[in-house]
Amino acid sequence: MVKVREVHSLKDGATVELHEWLDVMVRKYQWGPAVLAAIKSACEHSWAAEERAIAEDNIWAPGASSFRTGLEMAEILADFHMDHEGLQAAILYRAVREGKLPLEAVRKDFDDRVADLIASVLRMAVISTLRNDSEREVFGHASALQAGKVREMLVSIIDDVRVALIKLAERTCAIRALKSAAEDKRIRVAREIFDVYAPLAHRLGVGHLKWELEDLAFRYLEPDEYQQIAKLLAEKRLDRQQYIDEVITTIERELRNIGKEGTVTGRAKHIYSIWRKMHRNDIGFSQVYDIRAVRVLVPTVDDCYGVLGIVHSKWRNIPREFDDYIASPKENGYRSLHTAVIGPGRKVVEIQIRTFEMHQEAEFGVCAHWQYKGTEAKNAADTSYEDKIAWLRQVLEWHEEIGGENVKEFLRLDSSTDRVYVFTPEGHVIDLPFGATPLDFAYSVHTQIGHRCRGAKLNGKIVPLNTVLKTGDQVQIITGKQDKPSRDWLLKALGYLHTSRARAKVQQWFRAQHREQNVAAGTQLLNAEFRQLGIHAPDLRDLARRFNKHSEEGLYAAIGAGDVGLEQVVHAAQTQLGLSPAPSKQNRRKRAARFEKSDFYIYGVGDLLTRLAGCCSPIPGDPVCGYITAGRGVTIHRADCGNLLRLQSTDPQRVLQVNWGGTPQQTYAVKVGIHSYDRAGLLKDITTAIDKAGLFIVALTSAERRDSANMTEVTVEVRGMEELSALMAKLRQIPNVIDVTRLHD
């Protein structure tokens, strides 16, 4: 029988024999005989490796036991329902890393997948070894070495999420054991965990570990502030618990009254979370609302909103302290309702409401719905695992641009959201600004690929070149044999190019063309735009002088080369002629209702009579909804109002989506003629393009012409000539549309 030494205790002051530890784990996690045998075998191998190392070196290092660490890691991962291969890898990992057990021996005595997991976790360990000895928070020595190691780390995570979880468990054990370590080691390990592993736990949705890692790292990085907050929490602990018990009792009673099942508990506030809120909001300890916190778990989503209504009807909620993460989950998948209310005794208490399933996901993240490739059948209805893994495929472009950037910048909690990460057909990752298109992607790969681009496939399907890319898309560029960019790519209204780098490359290509070609192209572009917008007889010489050109030909050449934007010339011509869209002669609809005598307006109610609900008294900035009453117009409620939530469930057809805005801008009704060949779905595409432009349709008619084509006349409200020009350019891109022109009554 293998006995765990006293210095190997898994918890402070506890000793355990291996068979007793296994018995406890079997009872707690319901391991079957096969799993028990697998775990026991890994424990015995780890123990034997440590005994051999002690005998060979004739030393014993208390507190540095790879065997004890392995068991502790297994306990952490068992809470996540890790499979037996992952548990075996966790138990053996430290012995392999410390050189006590060769990886080849693991591969010989266990499944190859166990050895592969350990090898991948070892590659993740290079984050620690790549730190400089200096005090600067910088990873890596040579950028080439860093790039190679980061690639290995990310590839290993992408291959199997268990690798990341085993590493998180190992780092949790490491920071728990820092009490007796030297100060420089405590700071080094704590900084690494705070910069890399706590954000990684957050991204995987593993709140169960994230909070512990943050609190322990904060304890060593900011010991004075940690102790100050801990002391303040301890001083008020008894009073706070009595208060929370009172709130819990009230909510439980209300649940029983309406026949709802649920579990209500007090929620511990984490020290780092308190400190972060104090610093972010520049407030004192007494102003942190969620120090007094309660969590309500119920079976269904409907129950969540029902409980919210009960809470808000029982106690006054605090404006702008309500968050609906069920309707709009956080990027790591977190779902819950958060609200802060003025509870008994006029003290503020935070209340979180979620389903039991949401709670499991919040605590255990990816582990709440395990799906391993090759180990379990794929459940098409359950995409939780894939959704969480998607982030790991978005982290980084592994080309020379990585340079000396910090690894932590790719993993930190507050990472930039203005980038998208897409795949080449070979699986490489390209990093582009948010809003980039396949054409931007082509130019980022190589200038010539951009010049020869003729089309694009997104995830295997052909798409327009102005399609906005999303993170995780696989992009394939279809190229021709010759360089032949299109001048349409330079029109901002068409949205082909988002990055200035790609736009500059297109402009450079056109500048290199013969002047005669640019003059001809510019003449065609400008005349077509004037015709379509109904602009007649502008003084072209005057326009040329405005753009510092000596002649009309110079202006045409500049337009053809892309040096002068077509939109700029049209705007100048409009100003020269004193043109603007003519105001509509018909009675225009009222677009918004004014809020009292302020500059705020409520949009979405049209010309209906509006009034504010007395039950929740919404003010500008609050999320709001409208409810159509019987004979009294529209009542505006806060979106979290308990009365509205009840009305939404009984009369959803009467609820309007409304929003706050500033003073309505003056708009003009303009008629546009769309000459096209008819096809199924054409009218839908036209109205969709107008809707995406954010414009109102006043009237629409369509009739067949003598030439077997259709003429669709649509009257839209625009704010100016630029908006009209942009809309017409988009309409011309619709398949089967021959021409788009402005019509005059």
Side-chain angles (χ1 to χ4, degrees):
M1 179 173 55
V2 178
K3 180 172 181 176
V4 183
R5 297 175 184 267
E6 290 187 3
V7 293
H8 286 172
S9 60
L10 305 187
K11 305 294 180 185
D12 291 341
T15 61
V16 64
E17 290 188 350
L18 179 58
H19 79 279
E20 294 175 354
W21 181 83
L22 289 170
D23 286 345
V24 170
M25 298 294 282
V26 167
R27 289 195 300 271
K28 185 174 182 181
Y29 300 108
Q30 302 297 308
W31 288 344
V35 174
L36 174 60
I39 302 303
K40 183 178 180 182
S41 175
C43 291
E44 290 172 344
H45 276 71
S46 177
W47 172 262
E50 185 157 283
E51 290 290 283
R52 284 194 301 271
I54 294 170
E56 291 171 4
D57 296 338
N58 197 27
I59 59 171
W60 176 250
S65 166
S66 58
F67 175 63
R68 184 189 66 180
T69 301
L71 295 187
E72 189 175 352
M73 288 170 62
E75 288 187 354
I76 293 171
L77 295 170
D79 279 342
F80 298 149
H81 305 288
M82 177 72 79
D83 66 354
H84 72 277
E85 291 171 354
L87 293 174
Q88 285 179 310
I91 292 168
L92 297 168
Y93 169 71
R94 290 295 303 191
V96 174
R97 182 177 176 180
E98 294 172 12
K100 300 173 183 176
L101 181 65
L103 187 60
E104 294 74 18
V106 175
R107 196 172 297 279
K108 177 183 176 182
D109 296 332
F110 296 89
D111 193 290
D112 280 345
R113 285 176 295 206
V114 176
D116 290 341
L117 284 173
I118 294 174
S120 295
V121 182
L122 288 171
R123 288 198 294 271
M124 282 193 73
V126 300
I127 286 184
S128 302
T129 61
L130 284 176
R131 275 192 179 274
N132 284 332
D133 293 332
S134 65
E135 294 181 358
R136 293 178 302 151
E137 296 175 23
V138 179
F139 289 86
H141 297 287
S143 61
L145 173 63
Q146 179 190 2
K149 295 300 184 181
V150 172
R151 291 174 208 170
E152 292 177 358
M153 180 193 74
L154 293 176
V155 168
S156 72
I157 299 176
I158 290 170
D159 287 344
D160 197 327
V161 72
R162 290 176 294 180
V163 175
L165 292 167
I166 293 170
K167 186 61 184 177
L168 286 174
E170 189 266 341
R171 289 291 84 190
T172 302
C173 295
I175 200 167
R176 286 176 180 175
L178 287 181
K179 290 182 181 179
S180 58
E183 183 178 2
D184 62 336
K185 181 179 180 181
R186 289 204 301 265
I187 293 175
R188 176 173 56 82
V189 174
R191 172 56 61 191
E192 172 190 277
I193 285 172
F194 190 81
D195 286 343
V196 177
Y197 292 107
L200 180 57
H202 169 77
R203 290 290 185 169
L204 293 173
V206 188
H208 190 66
L209 290 184
K210 177 216 175 196
W211 294 116
E212 181 178 2
L213 292 174
E214 284 184 339
D215 271 7
L216 291 177
F218 180 60
R219 175 181 182 177
Y220 296 120
L221 294 174
E222 300 289 347
D224 293 339
E225 298 201 48
Y226 178 91
Q227 293 298 335
Q228 180 183 6
I229 295 175
K231 183 179 179 181
L232 289 170
L233 284 172
E235 288 175 351
K236 303 290 184 180
R237 191 178 304 277
L238 182 59
D239 291 342
R240 188 168 61 252
Q241 190 57 52
Q242 290 176 345
Y243 183 86
I244 288 174
D245 289 344
E246 180 182 351
V247 173
I248 290 173
T249 301
T250 301
I251 295 175
E252 288 177 336
R253 182 174 61 249
E254 293 295 331
L255 287 175
R256 286 195 300 270
N257 289 342
I258 62 172
K260 293 289 185 182
E261 298 180 3
T263 300
V264 189
T265 58
R267 185 178 68 84
K269 185 65 179 174
H270 301 278
I271 292 177
Y272 171 69
S273 178
I274 294 173
W275 177 86
R276 182 177 59 188
K277 182 165 287 190
M278 289 168 61
H279 279 253
R280 279 186 174 179
N281 301 336
D282 194 24
I283 58 177
F285 179 82
S286 61
Q287 294 173 282
V288 180
Y289 294 146
D290 47 357
I291 290 175
R292 290 179 292 271
V294 169
R295 178 176 290 141
V296 184
L297 305 182
V298 289
T300 69
V301 172
D302 287 344
D303 291 339
C304 290
Y305 289 101
V307 171
L308 179 67
I310 292 172
V311 169
H312 283 182
S313 63
K314 191 72 179 177
W315 298 297
R316 171 75 174 175
N317 71 302
I318 299 173
R320 290 178 289 280
E321 289 295 327
F322 169 72
D323 293 298
D324 187 347
Y325 296 122
I326 295 178
S328 301
K330 291 186 178 181
E331 62 180 7
N332 67 349
Y334 176 84
R335 295 181 297 160
S336 186
L337 297 177
H338 292 194
T339 187
V341 299
I342 301 174
R346 301 195 61 78
K347 293 180 180 179
V348 176
V349 57
E350 186 200 59
I351 298 176
Q352 292 183 358
I353 307 166
R354 60 179 71 148
T355 66
F356 292 101
E357 180 185 359
M358 291 174 192
H359 182 63
Q360 283 294 108
E361 292 176 350
E363 293 297 303
F364 301 113
V366 294
C367 318
H369 302 282
W370 279 113
Q371 293 180 11
Y372 290 124
K373 301 174 194 174
T375 60
E376 289 186 13
K378 184 174 180 62
N379 181 358
D382 186 357
T383 59
S384 175
Y385 177 88
E386 286 79 4
D387 290 343
K388 299 283 175 50
I389 294 303
W391 170 78
L392 295 172
R393 298 185 182 275
Q394 302 165 11
V395 182
L396 148 75
E397 170 186 340
W398 41 61
H399 290 285
E400 57 272 14
E401 284 85 0
I402 190 172
E405 290 289 324
N406 295 349
V407 175
K408 71 176 184 180
E409 293 303 321
F410 299 105
L411 294 174
R412 69 164 52 255
L413 176 61
D414 297 322
S415 58
S416 173
T417 58
D418 59 356
R419 308 294 289 180
V420 292
Y421 298 85
V422 295
F423 291 102
T424 68
E426 295 76 26
H428 296 162
V429 181
I430 300 293
D431 167 16
L432 294 167
F434 182 79
T437 65
L439 201 53
D440 290 306
F441 171 89
Y443 277 104
S444 72
V445 174
H446 197 280
T447 301
Q448 198 169 45
I449 293 178
H451 288 342
R452 296 184 177 183
C453 179
R454 299 293 179 270
K457 287 185 178 181
L458 215 60
N459 305 317
K461 296 181 179 179
I462 293 178
V463 297
L465 289 176
N466 56 2
T467 302
V468 176
L469 299 176
K470 302 188 298 296
T471 291
D473 284 339
Q474 185 182 64
V475 187
Q476 180 181 350
I477 300 300
I478 303 170
T479 58
K481 294 182 179 180
Q482 296 179 341
D483 293 359
K484 196 175 181 181
S486 168
R487 286 183 171 85
D488 283 349
W489 295 354
L490 295 173
L491 298 178
K492 291 184 179 179
L494 297 182
Y496 283 109
L497 295 171
H498 178 76
T499 63
S500 56
R501 179 169 176 260
R503 183 176 297 276
K505 288 182 177 182
V506 176
Q507 290 171 334
Q508 185 179 15
W509 188 89
F510 282 114
R511 288 192 200 103
Q513 306 309 302
H514 294 299
R515 178 179 173 83
E516 293 78 8
Q517 292 178 338
N518 286 332
V519 170
T523 303
Q524 181 183 358
L525 286 170
L526 188 59
N527 289 342
E529 191 74 2
F530 282 164
R531 179 182 60 81
Q532 289 161 353
L533 290 174
I535 298 175
H536 302 292
D539 186 339
L540 292 175
R541 290 188 178 184
D542 178 61
L543 289 177
R545 286 193 294 271
R546 292 189 185 206
F547 291 96
N548 298 317
K549 305 302 175 186
H550 297 296
S551 64
E552 299 174 25
E553 187 177 90
L555 178 62
Y556 287 138
I559 295 172
D563 291 332
V564 175
L566 195 58
E567 298 94 339
Q568 296 173 285
V569 180
V570 169
H571 179 73
Q574 174 190 353
T575 304
Q576 180 194 84
L577 298 173
L579 295 175
S580 66
S584 173
K585 295 179 181 178
Q586 59 182 313
N587 293 327
R588 293 174 57 251
R589 290 186 297 146
K590 182 180 174 185
R591 291 296 178 211
R594 190 171 184 176
F595 174 70
E596 298 175 347
K597 296 182 179 180
S598 72
D599 293 331
F600 292 96
Y601 286 76
I602 301 170
Y603 287 80
V605 294
D607 55 2
L608 293 173
L609 177 69
T610 61
R611 67 185 186 89
L612 300 179
C615 55
C616 57
S617 302
I619 60 175
D622 290 338
V624 288
C625 286
Y627 179 76
I628 303 174
T629 63
R632 292 187 297 167
V634 178
T635 302
I636 307 300
H637 291 264
R638 284 213 319 267
D640 60 340
C641 173
N643 288 332
L644 175 71
L645 294 171
R646 283 191 288 273
L647 292 170
Q648 207 165 20
S649 62
T650 56
D651 292 308
Q653 70 278 4
R654 290 194 175 194
V655 177
L656 298 177
Q657 183 177 354
V658 300
N659 60 280
W660 297 100
T663 305
Q665 295 182 350
Q666 186 177 17
T667 58
Y668 306 93
V670 178
K671 184 181 291 185
V672 175
I674 305 167
H675 186 200
S676 63
Y677 291 112
D678 198 14
R679 63 172 173 83
L682 176 62
L683 197 59
K684 177 178 178 292
D685 290 345
I686 291 172
T687 56
T688 298
I690 298 172
D691 180 60
K692 286 184 177 179
L695 303 178
F696 287 101
I697 298 176
V698 177
L700 187 149
T701 60
S702 184
E704 187 176 357
R705 296 182 8 156
R706 293 180 180 178
D707 57 1
S708 299
N710 272 19
M711 174 58 77
T712 302
E713 296 182 3
V714 56
T715 303
V716 296
E717 290 188 350
V718 297
R719 286 178 283 271
M721 190 69 80
E722 295 83 359
E723 195 167 62
L724 176 61
S725 178
L727 172 64
M728 293 172 69
K730 291 174 182 175
L731 291 173
R732 283 196 293 271
Q733 299 300 305
I734 297 175
N736 284 35
V737 170
I738 304 168
D739 196 12
V740 181
T741 57
R742 180 183 177 186
L743 304 177
H744 295 276
D745 294 328

